[in-house]
Amino acid sequence: MSPPRTQALAEGALGRALLHIERGNLAAARPLLTEAVAGGVSTGSNACLFHGAPALEFVLGRAGHANRTVQAAVDQVVTTRLAAARQRRESAQLPTLAEIDLIRGLTGLGALLLARAGSPSPLLSEVLAHLVTLADPAAADSRVLPGWWSPDSPSHEEIAGGHANNGVAHGIAGPLALLSLATRHGILVEGQAAAIEAFVTWLEEFGSFYWITLGHLLTDEPQPPPLRPSWCYGYAGIARTLQLAALALGDDARRQKAEDLAIAALTDPARLSRVTDASLCHGWAGLLTVTTAIAADSPTPGRFAEPIWQTHQRLAAGIAALPKPGFLEGRAGAVLALEGSNMTGWTRALLIH
């Protein structure tokens, strides 16, 4: 029997519980938490920040409840995933998105470990150390490729020769955000600063694409049309990630460049016209949450005031049209963004803070 979908942080009961927890309404959250664990809690190969025991720990943590049994189960999940990742690396195979990304992989598990209260888990350093190795070039078919080059397809269509994903949700912007946030928390492993530098350099050159294929590397393919400035892909999420990296490195020029990228995306009608719903993942809610965070860390927050107000208005107008009730693509996440509170640190699931 497949695990219940209620364990999905993205759209299940766990995601909906986050809204009540952020509002301080634990009475409303409890039945959703009960629903989520009614069929057991997944610790299998599909367990990740957005599903199963790790998702449960993240939500309980936002309520201030550290369940040691759940944490022990999560630690075993992380240990197993790290062992598989090391074995893959030793065999000189390319990583899958599910190994490394935020939604399903080690970046998401690292985000959870970083969000834990108390002293950092030693497993967090192991996750960071593995993500640092992605800065080492990989070799495939006699070609030198980025270390996060993946044989996977991020879409429903196969990509011949694989790709290097740039997004926060599934690409290298996710590991970069985690490494940068860990640096700001004083958590460092060997090679961390150099990896941050390498990932930033890549995104500064190729971040205008959702992902890079062999065709991009081997030919002078034209630049894409203006892309949607969403959290999951595009220059909103990437701009926040580049800003976090600049803050971690103490690089004021790069911070300014990242903020300029955000402003360019937020004031471009062609790009904004591609935002078609109010969701956190790829809609107005994610754009508002990212922009608010960028402004808060900018020495010139005032220039973000008008884009924030415009985005807030579009989000408010679009929530009712969202067909799903949940967190990542549904109404609960959109309302969290609209209300603008982050007392529980729920935005850590998105690596925005």
Side-chain angles (χ1 to χ4, degrees), residues 254-345:
R254 274 185 160 148
R255 178 199 52 74
Q256 181 68 50
K257 185 176 180 180
E259 293 169 16
D260 290 345
L261 286 174
I263 287 292
L266 291 164
T267 56
D268 183 352
R271 285 188 250 192
L272 293 175
S273 69
R274 295 176 177 267
V275 182
T276 58
D277 70 32
S279 71
L280 272 176
C281 185
H282 45 260
W284 298 116
L287 190 55
L288 177 62
T289 307
V290 165
T291 306
T292 302
I294 292 173
D297 278 333
S298 171
T300 55
R303 65 181 184 143
F304 293 93
E306 181 63 20
I308 286 173
W309 184 84
Q310 293 283 353
T311 306
H312 191 278
Q313 296 302 107
R314 287 166 169 151
L315 171 58
I319 288 179
L322 288 171
K324 298 179 180 180
F327 174 65
L328 204 54
E329 295 184 337
R331 295 184 297 276
V335 171
L336 276 166
L338 184 70
E339 294 183 355
S341 172
N342 192 32
M343 296 295 293
T344 64

Side-chain angles (χ1 to χ4, degrees), residues 17-216:
L18 271 181
L19 175 59
H20 298 300
I21 292 170
E22 180 63 33
R23 289 172 165 175
N25 189 351
L26 297 185
R30 284 191 188 98
L32 290 167
L33 294 171
T34 299
E35 177 187 346
V37 302
V41 180
S42 175
T43 57
S45 60
N46 63 349
C48 57
L49 174 59
F50 280 81
H51 186 82
L56 177 61
E57 182 190 334
F58 182 80
V59 174
L60 291 176
R62 299 322 94 209
H65 296 294
N67 185 298
R68 301 303 179 188
T69 301
V70 174
Q71 287 184 337
V74 169
D75 287 350
Q76 186 57 54
V77 168
V78 177
T79 299
T80 300
R81 296 290 290 276
L82 280 168
R86 292 183 185 117
Q87 184 176 23
R88 185 275 307 165
R89 181 170 170 78
E90 290 169 2
S91 65
Q93 298 297 307
L94 295 172
T96 63
L97 297 180
E99 176 190 312
I100 61 176
D101 75 10
L102 171 62
I103 299 297
R104 296 169 294 170
L106 285 168
T107 297
L109 293 172
L112 170 60
L113 295 175
L114 184 62
R116 274 185 182 174
S119 301
S121 167
L123 285 172
L124 175 57
S125 292
E126 294 186 42
V127 170
L128 297 177
H130 182 72
L131 295 177
V132 162
T133 68
L134 299 177
D136 299 332
D141 298 327
S142 301
R143 295 188 180 96
V144 177
L145 299 168
W148 64 97
W149 195 272
S150 176
D152 290 1
S153 170
S155 63
H156 297 296
E157 298 179 0
E158 182 179 355
I159 297 180
H163 78 294
N165 200 291
N166 292 335
V168 177
H170 295 295
I172 198 59
L176 174 58
L178 178 61
L179 292 169
S180 301
L181 287 166
T183 300
R184 297 185 76 189
H185 282 82
I187 304 170
L188 300 169
V189 299
E190 184 177 354
Q192 190 161 323
I196 290 173
E197 177 74 31
F199 300 153
V200 167
T201 300
W202 172 274
L203 288 174
E204 286 178 338
E205 181 174 359
F206 296 112
S208 58
F209 294 86
Y210 286 166
W211 52 78
I212 293 294
T213 66
L214 285 178
H216 293 116

